[in-house]
């Protein structure tokens, strides 16, 4: 049989000026990278090819990705590798706490790959990480960014909420119409119900969710996602530009302008979110510590107005 013809590589899309960032070269970046390697920790900063890694790691802010570096899903937007993950590392919770202490983090963001192979989806590891952080760095505020725990979310979410994170984040990622092609392993309304459950179980935990734009969504569809988020009691909305990590991933349909992001942010604030972060380079954990303080201030101000 003849070998199949090699398909031509599509031309690389040229990014507009507002989306370009400098290559990471600072001493702080190198120190953060060494610490992650020494502790055998994965980071979403690296695995998801985050454009802000140079800025954040220079400030010694890293988003730890627990449960390994291999995901059981294959979302069309995500650069994290897919396959059969390794066994859960029992030392990982302590290593996360050690990293937080050595980096001097006031606020830490902990996320994970999807682990559909585990009976609880990996929820128990989130609990152990939260407990280790409370033990080792009790003044560090904790933000978790979890997967959807498909078909086991109620028990998983209840266990994590009971552990008491300060912020519970789960990203909707895109509009419902695009889920079959962009996020095929997930269900839009299941993700909404997850966030609604967090708020129902613990109204004081801040809830947060994010979407990417530039995937072919329509403006009114984004507005509807905002309404759905508010109906679920979500406090904080993040919006950023989707960037294609490799030619194998979904293509960028549009580079949304900074002015368009400002317009989205204005509409979102009018809909009642405590906080909105919307810009081309916004990502879930970008400036998360500063944003946590802003959310606290916004809630206090809101409470004062309703007394």
């Amino acid at each position: 049989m003849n070998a199949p013809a090699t398909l031509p590589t599509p031309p690389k899309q040229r990014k507009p000026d507002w989306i370009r960032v400098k290559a990471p070269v600072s001493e702080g970046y190198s120190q953060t990278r060494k610490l992650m390697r020494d502790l055998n920790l994965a980071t979403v900063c690296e695995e998801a090819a985050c454009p802000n890694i140079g800025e954040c790691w220079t400030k010694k802010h890293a988003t730890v990705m627990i449960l390994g570096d291999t995901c059981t899903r294959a979302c069309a937007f995500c650069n994290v590798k897919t396959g059969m993950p390794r066994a859960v590392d029992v030392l990982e919770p302590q290593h996360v706490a050690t990293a937080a202490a050595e980096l001097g983090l006031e606020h830490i963001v902990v996320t994970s790959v999807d682990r559909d192979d585990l009976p609880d989806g990996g929820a128990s590891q989130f609990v152990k990480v939260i407990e280790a952080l409370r033990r080792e760095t009790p003044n560090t505020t904790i933000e978790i960014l979890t997967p959807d725990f498909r078909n086991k979310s109620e028990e998983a979410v209840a266990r994590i909420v009971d552990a008491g994170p300060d912020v519970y984040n789960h990203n909707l990622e895109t509009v419902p119409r695009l889920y079959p092609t962009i996020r095929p392993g997930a269900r839009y309304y299941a993700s909404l119900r997850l966030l609604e459950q967090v708020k129902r179980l613990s109204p004081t935990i801040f809830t947060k969710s994010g979407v990417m734009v530039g995937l072919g969504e329509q403006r009114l569809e984004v507005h509807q996602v905002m309404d759905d988020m508010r109906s679920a009691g979500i406090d904080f909305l993040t919006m950023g530009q989707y960037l294609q990590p490799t030619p194998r991933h979904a293509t960028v349909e549009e580079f949304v302008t900074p002015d368009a992001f400002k317009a989205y942010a204005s509409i979102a604030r009018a809909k009642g979110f405590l906080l909105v972060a919307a810009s081309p380079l916004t990502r879930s954990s970008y400036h998360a510590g500063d944003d946590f303080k802003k959310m606290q201030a916004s809630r206090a101000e809101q409470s004062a107005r309703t007394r």
Side-chain angles (χ1 to χ4, degrees), residues 206-265:
F206 290 103
T207 50
K208 178 176 174 180
S209 189
V211 294
M212 302 169 291
V213 293
L215 283 162
E217 69 289 331
Q218 300 297 313
R219 180 171 53 87
L220 292 180
E221 289 180 306
V222 177
H223 294 175
Q224 183 60 57
V225 170
M226 293 179 188
D227 288 336
D228 292 343
M229 286 184 176
R230 290 302 302 129
S231 295
I234 294 168
D235 298 302
F236 184 8
L237 165 65
T238 61
M239 296 183 67
Q241 171 71 51
Y242 166 67
L243 297 174
Q244 184 182 20
T246 76
R248 296 180 294 103
H249 291 83
T251 59
V252 176
E253 298 296 329
E254 176 189 8
F255 284 109
V256 179
T257 66
D259 284 344
F261 274 103
K262 288 178 184 177
Y264 275 135

Side-chain angles (χ1 to χ4, degrees), residues 97-111:
T98 299
E102 293 202 18
L103 291 171
L105 295 180
E106 294 181 4
H107 185 85
I108 187 171
V109 182
V110 179
T111 188

Side-chain angles (χ1 to χ4, degrees), residues 87-212:
V88 175
D89 181 0
V90 296
L91 298 177
E92 191 174 56
Q94 183 57 47
H95 287 170
V96 174
T98 299
E102 293 202 18
L103 291 171
L105 295 180
E106 294 181 4
H107 185 85
I108 187 171
V109 182
V110 179
T111 188
S112 81
V113 291
D114 281 286
R115 290 296 302 260
D116 297 316
D117 59 309
L118 298 175
D120 67 349
S124 58
Q125 191 77 337
F126 273 100
V127 171
K128 291 172 185 175
V129 168
I130 293 168
E131 290 172 346
L133 286 164
R134 295 295 187 214
R135 196 167 54 242
E136 299 296 327
T137 59
N139 295 322
T140 301
T141 49
I142 302 170
E143 178 173 331
I144 57 162
L145 170 54
T146 76
D148 61 5
F149 302 116
R150 186 171 61 195
N151 299 326
K152 50 187 82 97
S153 66
E154 285 198 19
E155 183 179 351
V157 169
R159 291 186 65 188
I160 294 172
V161 168
D162 191 54
D166 298 283
V167 182
Y168 195 119
N169 186 0
H170 172 64
N171 288 329
L172 295 184
E173 306 293 8
T174 189
V175 301
R177 177 176 59 83
L178 297 178
Y179 262 56
T181 53
I182 301 302
R183 202 177 174 222
R187 300 294 179 266
Y188 177 80
Y189 290 102
S191 286
L192 272 176
R193 286 195 297 272
L194 182 156
L195 288 156
E196 192 173 40
Q197 181 190 357
V198 174
K199 189 59 75 173
R200 185 173 66 250
L201 291 173
S202 181
T204 59
I205 292 179
F206 290 103
T207 50
K208 178 176 174 180
S209 189
V211 294
M212 302 169 291

Side-chain angles (χ1 to χ4, degrees), residues 276-293:
V276 179
S279 75
L281 290 175
T282 291
R283 296 296 184 268
S284 292
S285 54
Y286 190 43
H287 296 163
D290 292 338
D291 286 338
F292 176 70
K293 293 175 183 176

Side-chain angles (χ1 to χ4, degrees), residues 35-52:
L35 178 63
M36 296 300 110
R37 295 296 79 77
D38 289 347
L39 292 172
N40 196 32
L41 292 174
T43 70
V44 75
C45 321
E46 295 169 290
E47 304 302 332
C50 179
N52 304 312

